[in-house]
Amino acid sequence: MQTKRICLDQAATSFPKPPVVAEAVLNYMTSNGSNVSRSSYKSAYEAEDTVLETRELLCTLFGWDDPACVIFTSGVTASLNWLIKGLPGDHVLVSSMEHNAVMRPLVQLQKSGVTFDRIPADENGQMDLSSLPGLVRDNTKALICTHASNVNGAVNPLERLGSFCKEQGLTFIVDTAQSAGRCPIDMKALSIDCLAFTGHKGLLGPQGTGGFIIRREPAEKMEPLMAGGTGSFSHTELIPEALPDRFEPGTPNLPGIFGLNAALKWILETGCGNIYAKEKALYDRLKEGLEATDGIRIIGCPEGDGRGMAPMPVLSVTTPGRDAALVSALLDEQASVQTRVGLHCAPSAHRTLGTFPEGTLRFSPGYFTAGEEIDICVEALQNVLKQIPLGI
Ligand code: PMP
């Protein structure tokens, strides 16, 4: 019996991480342990150097040049809340493949008069760009979209969306939860105004890390969602104007940022292009194995972004006549293959793909998944399907 854990749930959170990540967290906890921007002794300055370096590493990764524009939060959900609730709304456009990290804050804002429209997509989750101009209204202020779907890996055409937003004067906000660290992303080349990232998925860092990078101009218009001590400008009870302090009240997640620092160095050394190539090979191998499996239906296989970018390594299937939750449980029980079943916090994406409300069984490999593990997963899936009679 297969006992080694095969994590094909990397879209939820990546596992394992490069060993340097846990080492950096432990090292901070045991040898430094100081706060930043507050005290004036050596270990505090050392911690501050690492935090600044982490901002610089994020700039290098995302093609930005101003580390003060990098704001740390607890993850992409927090970042999207800051951006969606802090920037003037009125009317915004979203893709049809959004996660609830975008949809719930937007629906919450409907009470205060914010409205939104979804840009239609086909049954593979591929955005219909031709509908875009007709959706813009006089009061449209922003376009928010995920870079890659956490349900089927479909990638949105950021380059074309970015140019469109620039032409129309819309703030372009991108959720990179499923793509950061897994493919090259250049904020300037893609005309992204605000990029939200999470540390614990493709960036291979600890849970509870993440943030956003914001251009100076939208930052000036953005209302801070939270207020508190920053260790700076302590003479005043007003929220500081300076970045990143304006959007970073309270003590940051320093063990997490130290871990993220190590993860980012590992990613930059490995190269996003190499990570993308390796994960694409895993996606292709998995897709091929699933295509050869009877009793499942692969959901919405997207083509890519039309500019050479393949889907991110996330594949969803349905198991017609069989309970997908049982399939998922047996995969874990019999082969230690970890998958995720259900709606993946993305009802809008499932509606687009025609899999609402039952959802899908999702497979998401990562950089450390071995090719043979994909084969083990496919074989285990075929065995499990044979064990469950139709109609159960
Ligand atoms: N957006 C997308 C596309 C996601 O896949 C996720 C995580 N499933 C999130 C946002 C939220 O990420 P986090 O829980 O790290 O805040």
Side-chain angles (χ1 to χ4, degrees), residues 275-293:
I275 293 172
Y276 170 78
K278 182 165 177 202
E279 292 192 345
K280 183 177 179 314
L282 292 168
Y283 174 89
D284 291 343
R285 190 159 173 165
L286 177 59
K287 191 168 161 227
E288 205 176 300
L290 294 176
E291 278 165 355
T293 301

Side-chain angles (χ1 to χ4, degrees), residues 11-12 75-78 80 99 101 146 148 150 175 177-178 198 200-201 340:
V76 79
T77 299
L80 288 163
H99 188 274
T146 189
N150 64 319
D175 169 2
Q178 294 297 337
T198 202
H200 69 105
K201 299 187 197 249
R340 182 171 166 197

Side-chain angles (χ1 to χ4, degrees), residues 35-38 72 226-231 245 247-254:
N35 210 334
V36 289
S37 312
R38 281 146 176 86
F72 288 115
M226 280 166 57
T230 53
D245 309 31
F247 303 128
E248 282 186 355
T251 297
N253 173 5
L254 292 163

Side-chain angles (χ1 to χ4, degrees), residues 8 84 116 120 151 348 353:
L8 297 184
I84 293 171
F116 63 85
V151 178
S348 183
L353 299 169

Side-chain angles (χ1 to χ4, degrees), residues 4-20:
K4 188 177 169 258
R5 167 183 175 183
I6 300 177
C7 180
L8 297 184
D9 193 21
Q10 310 271 345
T13 201
S14 52
F15 183 85
K17 317 277 187 193
V20 285

Side-chain angles (χ1 to χ4, degrees), residues 338-359:
Q338 303 178 322
T339 56
R340 182 171 166 197
V341 75
L343 290 167
H344 315 97
C345 304
S348 183
H350 279 281
R351 281 201 169 91
T352 306
L353 299 169
T355 47
F356 185 88
E358 60 283 354

